Amino acid sequence: MYYVAALVVIVLAAWVIKKVTSCIVKTVAMAVIVAVIAYIYFFVLNVN
């Protein structure tokens, strides 16, 4: 019974980690896109 419980916990932990990391990757990608747009706006277009 302990092995089944341990297996269930491991599977649930892997699923939660997968969901969290996909969210973190999306957040980091959005931050990079915003930073690139801000760089282009302020430094390339020379908007004062």
Side-chain angles (χ1 to χ4, degrees), residues 2-47:
Y2 292 113
Y3 294 113
V4 174
L7 183 62
V8 169
V9 168
I10 290 171
V11 169
L12 286 176
W15 181 74
V16 168
I17 289 171
K18 181 181 172 188
K19 291 292 183 183
V20 170
T21 55
S22 70
C23 181
I24 290 172
V25 168
K26 288 178 186 175
T27 303
V28 169
M30 185 58 88
V32 168
I33 290 170
V34 169
V36 168
I37 291 172
Y39 174 80
I40 291 171
Y41 182 76
F42 287 110
F43 294 106
V44 175
L45 298 178
N46 288 327
V47 176

